[in-house]
Amino acid sequence: MKIAITGARGTVGRTAVKVCSAAGHRTVQINRTEQEYDGTAQSEMKTADVANDYNATVEAFKGCDAVIHLAALPDPVGKPDWKVHNNNVNSSFNGFHAAGSLGIKRVCYASSVNAVGLAFSNRPLHFDYFPIDEDAPQRPTDSYALAKEEAESQARSFVEWFPGMNIACLRIHEVAPLKSVQKEHRERWEQSAVRQLWGWVNPEAVARASLLAVEKADNLGGCQVLNIVAPTTTQDTPSDGLARKYYPKTQIRRDMSGNRGFWTTEKACKLLGWTHYEKE
């Protein structure tokens, strides 16, 4: 396949380009500003500000068989709410519409676990149950989370708008090697560790999920939201103890002994054959 990758020079983007290339796919690396060819086999560089230039996005996608849509502002920290929300909602819409209008049926979108309301929330966090699956209630109270919730809604609409289109919305957690996330969680316990439910995901695991989402798009049957999170937390403390201490009103629905993660990933395994086997 020829795969367009937006946000290709980001943390996930760079890894996704390598993973796609290693699997024998051609790639089109799309970034907001120009960049020199990086030497990746069967890859070309294109420029498109996806959030603000729809026509350039269409041009960048032409000739592609699939899209891995990663381009977005990665968090709301230090940025005006209107800018974060509008940029990210425009980016998702333009990417979905451009793909649909060109007849591209295989689309992977980088959503976020924040779509349920998480680290950046402006109100106290509330969860109905642990571990959190893809059907859990969404309560966004910040610009980033709201934009991700709206992007998922867009995706559900676009698969109706363009029949035959399949979109995987990957709810990705904090993308970094385990030791880096552990360090952040130690240094910012309440704001980062507790409010992010001690989660993490390895960049390689996200890149593999992104590729699987377009390779196995026919399994989606339209739009599917999938948790892409490591199966373990960053902590040695048993997860059921953390849950009871910090979220005592939340129902624990299944075994959370040891350092089991606070998110379910069975759906991604069932539809894509994806598992997070990276340990670090």
Side-chain angles (χ1 to χ4, degrees):
M1 284 190 295
K2 186 175 184 180
I3 305 172
I5 302 175
T6 71
R9 64 173 165 233
T11 300
V12 176
R14 293 193 304 271
T15 310
V17 169
K18 293 177 183 177
V19 167
C20 291
S21 178
H25 298 291
R26 293 173 292 160
T27 57
V28 178
Q29 301 185 48
I30 303 169
N31 290 295
R32 186 171 55 85
T33 56
E34 290 186 12
Q35 66 173 7
E36 294 182 0
Y37 175 57
D38 65 358
T40 302
Q42 300 188 86
S43 190
E44 56 187 294
M45 323 299 284
K46 292 191 177 182
T47 303
D49 182 349
V50 180
N52 298 295
D53 194 336
Y54 175 79
N55 290 333
T57 303
V58 171
E59 286 299 316
F61 287 2
K62 282 183 177 178
C64 292
D65 305 299
V67 173
I68 296 175
H69 191 6
L70 308 172
L73 293 175
D75 61 64
V77 179
K79 308 175 186 72
D81 284 335
W82 65 265
K83 184 174 183 179
V84 173
H85 174 270
N86 296 357
N87 180 91
N88 288 0
V89 170
N90 284 350
S91 179
S92 56
F93 180 93
N94 286 350
F96 293 150
H97 193 281
S101 68
L102 291 169
I104 298 172
K105 307 295 187 183
R106 301 168 179 267
V107 178
C108 171
Y109 172 69
S111 187
S112 169
V113 291
N114 283 278
V116 303
L118 202 65
F120 310 117
S121 295
N122 290 300
R123 293 292 180 267
L125 295 179
H126 170 67
F127 307 102
D128 288 18
Y129 54 82
F130 293 140
I132 298 170
D133 59 23
E134 291 85 353
D135 296 321
Q138 294 174 258
R139 301 182 177 95
T141 62
D142 66 88
S143 57
Y144 181 79
L146 179 60
K148 291 300 184 182
E149 181 192 42
E150 292 174 357
E152 292 178 0
S153 179
Q154 289 177 6
R156 287 188 287 271
S157 295
F158 272 106
V159 299
E160 300 294 336
W161 191 341
F162 295 98
M165 192 176 191
N166 292 295
I167 303 176
C169 295
L170 306 187
R171 286 186 180 168
I172 301 165
H173 213 307
E174 184 169 3
V175 182
L178 176 58
K179 289 183 179 179
S180 297
V181 186
Q182 287 176 324
K183 180 176 184 293
E184 180 186 350
H185 286 183
R186 285 194 302 269
E187 295 174 352
R188 303 179 70 243
W189 178 255
E190 290 289 342
Q191 186 62 31
S192 184
V194 175
R195 291 175 65 82
Q196 295 199 66
L197 298 176
W198 305 276
W200 70 288
V201 62
N202 184 280
E204 289 279 347
V206 178
R208 288 191 296 101
S210 300
L211 177 55
L212 285 168
V214 295
E215 286 184 329
K216 300 189 176 183
D218 290 341
N219 293 350
L220 301 176
C223 173
Q224 298 288 344
V225 174
L226 304 170
N227 289 337
I228 302 297
V229 186
T232 56
T233 70
T234 59
Q235 306 298 305
D236 293 326
T237 305
S239 298
D240 51 5
L242 291 171
R244 291 189 175 95
K245 180 176 181 179
Y246 292 98
Y247 299 98
K249 296 182 180 180
T250 302
Q251 177 188 8
I252 298 178
R253 288 188 169 181
R254 354 192 287 205
D255 179 22
M256 293 190 68
S257 60
N259 68 336
R260 294 173 186 265
F262 280 69
W263 310 82
T264 68
T265 57
E266 288 90 343
K267 188 176 178 182
C269 181
K270 179 181 178 181
L271 293 178
L272 305 182
W274 177 86
T275 57
H276 189 294
Y277 53 71
E278 291 82 359
K279 301 298 183 182
E280 298 183 350

